[in-house]
Amino acid sequence: ADGEVDFSEDQTSELHILLSLTWDSGSSVDPTISGGCVFEYHQAANLGLITHLFVTRHTVDLEEILVSRALDILNENARECGNLAGSNVTFLRATQQLKKTRKQGTTKEAIIMVDVTQNHVALHRMGFRLVDIPYMVQRGKSWDRSKLLTVFKTPLIPSMNDTLYLPSVLLKQFLAGTGAATSSAQVATKRDLSSDGSSASEFQELHEASYLKMFALLEVQEQVFLRDLPWEEPDVVFVDLWEDDDSQLLDQFYHSFLTPHCKGFMSYPLEPLQQWKDLVKQDEDKLELHIVLALRWVNGELSIGGGITFEYYPRSNCSLIRHVVVSPEDRGAGRKVNDFFSHDQALDKKLFSRVLGILNLRAQMAGNLSGISAVFLNALPDSSGDHFWFHELGFRKADCEYVSPPLSPNGQSVPLILAV
């Protein structure tokens, strides 16, 4: 009915409609549908997708029984196709807005069917977690942006510092395999819209607001994290340029974000951009240069909201943070420090949390299972505002004199404050 996948011609996908039927005791009339689950198995990517889940009102635990049975069927499908470990992953399309669907029955009282995909608490309790990307579904010539993409939590899903994530390549396979959006679908949709008389600007606005946003974010990050409740559309994604080699983003951060921010109060020049590009590809046994950016989708394109550059030294299992830059609106400009830092969801705290997660993961990959040993930070001596900021983020000044070595071949040593 949604026109998303043509199963009549697709020999590698299966559509299942699982129903729960009830009969009144001693009655010979037709059964009543008390619940249902509609789901797909896609053989090429070895994954499942639950598109609809509904039960009658006041039915106890029926949605959990339906999901459990659907998962069993998906695993059976996978094994029949040679995947002995079962289905690789199972997604579910949740809905953002709460509403109920009423179906008239044969009795005087109407049967109220509840769409469980709108009950985020119930889905979370069953084991589903939100995939932290904007998600949209193509329905004929239009795009449905009322959906959220969730995934069923299994032991196969990897984690970073106790935070579950999916590889971006898996999500790309899912989107291509389920017909959510592909290059050919993009071209066909544009042609269909044009034939209906829609203007190119209308298509451009529609396309950029949905398709480009979803895929652009997948292109700049290798992992997509899973979120607990509440489930809202994510407003920011994080990219580590040490993993995701994106020279365009690096140039934009250096020239358009970091340089204007540092101009006027830094008494020494920034490291040359080429030096950063060389260090990003440095021998991992000696030094890793990480540049973590916080990105937002603004006016149809990715915008940088903040960034942290830091070095990880595997031999000493320590890190040095060199630059911390966050846009004023995301750093609580004009508000009291204590009022601002009572908000754990502020961008700067999210950014630091991601950096610490990366450092602990790199430390564990180097054999230090307890994580990073110490995180140091360079601070300018005459920047008291930053000192309060760093203090609230957990840093403390090391009671010693510190002189930073030259940051470039022609640079100079600079007296700085060392915090840890």
Side-chain angles (χ1 to χ4, degrees):
D2 292 329
E4 297 166 19
V5 181
D6 185 1
F7 288 91
S8 62
E9 297 181 359
D10 187 353
Q11 301 301 319
T12 63
S13 301
E14 298 180 13
L15 173 65
H16 296 264
I17 303 175
L18 178 66
L19 300 179
S20 170
L21 307 178
T22 58
W23 282 264
D24 293 335
S25 179
S27 174
S28 60
V29 298
D30 293 336
T32 300
I33 298 176
S34 55
C37 181
V38 181
F39 57 98
E40 308 163 5
Y41 173 68
H42 297 271
Q43 179 182 341
N46 187 30
L47 57 82
L49 171 63
I50 298 176
T51 57
H52 303 279
L53 179 62
F54 58 92
V55 296
T56 54
R57 194 178 180 188
H58 303 311
T59 305
V60 180
D61 297 333
L62 179 57
E63 65 272 17
E64 297 185 15
I65 297 173
L66 288 168
V67 168
S68 177
R69 181 63 185 132
L71 294 173
D72 289 341
I73 294 173
L74 287 170
N75 284 325
E76 292 171 7
N77 288 161
R79 295 188 184 100
E80 290 172 356
C81 296
N83 302 292
L84 300 185
S87 177
N88 192 26
V89 66
T90 301
F91 294 94
L92 179 143
R93 285 182 186 148
T95 306
Q96 297 189 46
Q97 297 179 349
L98 180 63
K99 62 183 179 180
K100 292 183 179 133
T101 303
R102 181 179 295 270
K103 175 184 177 182
Q104 297 294 333
T106 56
T107 61
K108 294 182 180 180
E109 182 179 359
I111 300 173
I112 298 179
M113 306 298 290
V114 177
D115 183 358
V116 184
T117 68
Q118 299 166 345
N119 189 339
H120 298 172
V121 175
L123 295 176
H124 186 273
R125 183 179 64 247
M126 285 187 281
F128 289 94
R129 297 295 181 266
L130 180 69
V131 181
D132 201 6
I133 59 168
Y135 180 60
M136 41 73 65
V137 180
Q138 184 179 1
R139 299 187 186 279
K141 301 173 183 177
S142 63
W143 301 91
D144 183 357
R145 283 165 281 178
S146 69
K147 300 298 182 182
L148 300 171
L149 184 63
T150 70
V151 64
F152 186 74
K153 183 177 68 173
T154 71
L156 297 177
I157 295 180
S159 65
M160 176 189 297
N161 281 2
D162 298 326
T163 302
L164 299 173
Y165 70 88
L166 293 178
S168 295
V169 63
L170 177 60
L171 287 167
K172 293 176 185 177
Q173 292 173 354
F174 160 74
L175 294 172
T178 58
T182 62
S183 298
S184 60
Q186 170 192 353
V187 174
T189 303
K190 184 173 184 178
R191 183 173 57 249
D192 291 343
L193 286 173
S194 300
S195 65
D196 286 348
S198 300
S199 67
S201 60
E202 290 175 336
F203 171 79
Q204 184 74 5
E205 179 182 356
L206 176 68
H207 188 258
E208 288 187 356
S210 51
Y211 178 91
L212 285 180
K213 181 178 181 180
M214 180 169 59
F215 279 88
L217 296 178
L218 287 178
E219 288 297 331
V220 297
Q221 53 184 344
E222 292 191 355
Q223 302 96 13
V224 176
F225 288 86
L226 308 184
R227 293 172 55 189
D228 287 317
L229 295 172
W231 291 349
E232 298 102 2
E233 181 175 300
D235 62 343
V236 63
V237 295
F238 298 96
V239 177
D240 183 0
L241 297 182
W242 180 81
E243 288 184 340
D244 308 298
D245 186 10
D246 191 320
S247 59
Q248 183 177 356
L249 269 180
L250 179 55
D251 291 345
Q252 181 183 352
F253 173 66
Y254 186 90
H255 293 296
S256 304
F257 199 86
L258 181 61
T259 300
H261 176 85
C262 296
K263 186 177 181 180
F265 68 87
M266 279 185 57
S267 58
Y268 58 95
L270 285 170
E271 309 96 297
L273 177 59
Q274 187 58 48
Q275 181 175 315
W276 278 12
K277 293 181 177 181
D278 295 338
L279 284 175
V280 167
K281 302 175 182 179
Q282 178 110 354
D283 185 358
E284 297 180 9
D285 293 335
K286 299 178 181 179
L287 164 68
E288 296 177 7
L289 175 63
H290 294 256
I291 303 170
V292 178
L293 305 180
L295 305 176
R296 285 197 174 98
W297 187 263
V298 179
N299 297 326
E301 60 183 16
L302 289 173
S303 175
I304 299 175
I308 296 179
T309 68
F310 61 94
E311 300 160 4
Y312 172 61
Y313 299 91
R315 294 180 181 178
S316 62
N317 192 34
C318 294
S319 174
L320 174 63
I321 295 177
R322 292 203 177 272
H323 301 286
V324 182
V325 190
V326 177
S327 59
E329 60 270 20
D330 289 310
R331 193 176 154 178
R335 287 177 282 177
K336 294 181 180 179
V337 172
N338 289 337
D339 290 342
F340 171 63
F341 283 105
S342 65
H343 296 24
D344 290 334
Q345 297 305 311
L347 179 61
D348 53 359
K349 283 200 169 184
K350 290 181 180 180
L351 192 54
F352 265 100
S353 177
R354 179 56 56 88
V355 166
L356 292 177
I358 292 171
L359 284 171
N360 281 321
L361 179 64
R362 295 307 304 155
Q364 291 164 353
M365 294 295 291
N368 305 288
L369 300 185
S370 60
I372 191 75
S373 295
V375 180
F376 297 94
L377 177 141
N378 284 340
L380 295 171
D382 55 353
S383 182
S384 59
D386 284 344
H387 298 170
F388 283 107
W389 185 34
F390 295 145
H391 184 275
E392 291 294 330
L393 289 171
F395 287 92
R396 298 296 181 266
K397 178 184 176 182
D399 192 12
C400 64
E401 293 186 2
Y402 175 71
V403 177
S404 172
L407 302 180
S408 63
N410 299 323
Q412 58 183 347
S413 300
V414 181
L416 296 173
I417 290 177
L418 184 66
V420 62

